[in-house]
Every structure is written in structure tokens, then in C-alpha cells.
Amino acid sequence: MIDCIAGSGQGIDWYVRELGKRPYTYRQHIVPHDANNGDLGTGQRRIDTMRSLGMNPTRVLPRTPVDDGISAVRNLLPRCRIDRKNCQRGIDALEQYRKSWDDANKVFRDKPLHDWASDYADAFRYLAVGLRDREDDKPKAAKRPRVSLTGSTSGWMVM
């Protein structure tokens, strides 16, 4: 992972512009299933807006259970190399992503806590699912040694 952008309350056009400012060549943009939803203001599907603004090629993922996405992240993380300078906020978010707490019953719920970290974690989850689904169609390559990104041996959001 070489870069991380986030913008609270920003429209699709802002994200497309931000991606365009980066000096990268994109093989493919992976977006969540709700990109097929219509925008309330324009009635146009979000994916169509992205494409009309030049965000190509773009692949819309099917709806995937959160647990399945978390499993995909666990499989992807040991193979990742992350630019700490450009991605520090995203790294912090992944480290803070956690289950929500049921104070009345004093137990963790089976779903993630929705806070500042969840949008970053959701984006990484979509990346992991998109890459996993793409890799499922390829022949398996030789395994690489695993690398710990944080120096921690703990897992990523145990569910």
C-alpha cells in the first residue's frame, strides 16, 4: 500500500480528483457494492459518475459479509508492504479497528464498532476482497515469507 486518502463529507468528484493528482498508474479501481446505488442528488449511479469523471477501469464488488472480508484482510496483511509515511493514518485505523462493546451484557458484539477507524478498515477490507477474488482465478505462486507490519503477533480484529 503506497498511499491513503480520506475526506469526510466529500463527493465522488473530490476522490477522483485526489486520485488523479497522484503520480500513479492504476491497474484497476475496486469499489464496494453500493457504487451501483443511485446518488440522491443526481439519480445517477455512483459507478457511472466515477466512470464519467475518468475513473477507469473500475470493478464493483458484490455484497460480501463483513466476516468474509475480515478473513480476506487477515490473509492479505501478512503479504502487504505499507508506506508508513503516506499511510500512517490508515495504519493507525487498522490498529484501532475493533468489535463493538455491549455494555449491558458486558460482552463484545459480533460486529465491528463504527467509529473513525471503520471507514479506513472498510476500504482495506474491500481491497482485500477484490484482490482475493482476482487471485482466486490465478494459479498459485510460491509462498513468500510472512512479515509483521506492526511488530505485534496479535491478529487483526478477531471475530
Side-chain angles (χ1 to χ4, degrees):
M1 201 162 51
I2 57 175
D3 212 335
C4 178
I5 62 170
S8 178
Q10 301 296 332
I12 292 169
D13 57 331
W14 182 85
Y15 287 98
V16 172
R17 277 195 311 276
E18 286 301 308
L19 290 170
K21 290 177 186 176
R22 270 71 180 166
Y24 313 128
T25 301
Y26 302 102
R27 178 177 173 190
Q28 182 180 63
H29 299 281
I30 301 170
V31 296
H33 65 90
D34 61 358
N36 279 320
N37 293 349
D39 184 271
L40 293 176
T42 66
Q44 186 176 20
R45 292 183 320 155
R46 294 176 183 137
I47 187 66
D48 295 331
T49 300
M50 290 175 207
R51 289 176 176 152
S52 73
L53 293 170
M55 194 170 156
N56 291 301
T58 306
R59 179 166 55 113
V60 181
L61 296 177
R63 183 182 290 267
T64 306
V66 174
D67 289 351
D68 188 40
I70 289 171
S71 178
V73 168
R74 288 184 188 136
N75 289 325
L76 177 62
L77 265 176
R79 300 182 292 146
C80 282
R81 292 177 187 221
I82 300 176
D83 182 309
R84 289 191 181 279
K85 179 181 170 223
N86 288 340
C87 302
Q88 189 58 55
R89 183 84 170 151
I91 293 167
D92 293 344
L94 290 176
E95 290 174 345
Q96 292 298 312
Y97 191 58
R98 60 195 181 278
K99 291 181 182 182
S100 59
W101 177 253
D102 180 344
D103 201 41
N105 294 311
K106 306 295 184 211
V107 295
F108 285 104
R109 295 184 178 107
D110 286 335
K111 61 181 188 174
L113 175 67
H114 187 73
D115 64 1
W116 74 272
S118 59
D119 287 340
Y120 291 88
D122 287 347
F124 195 78
R125 185 167 44 88
Y126 296 129
L127 171 67
V129 168
L131 293 177
R132 179 202 63 197
D133 291 353
R134 186 186 77 200
E135 290 173 354
D136 284 347
D137 298 334
K138 293 182 178 180
K140 300 293 182 199
K143 289 189 175 186
R144 294 174 147 191
R146 293 184 174 222
V147 177
S148 172
L149 300 174
T150 63
S152 168
T153 58
S154 62
W156 186 75
M157 194 175 161
V158 178
M159 297 220 42

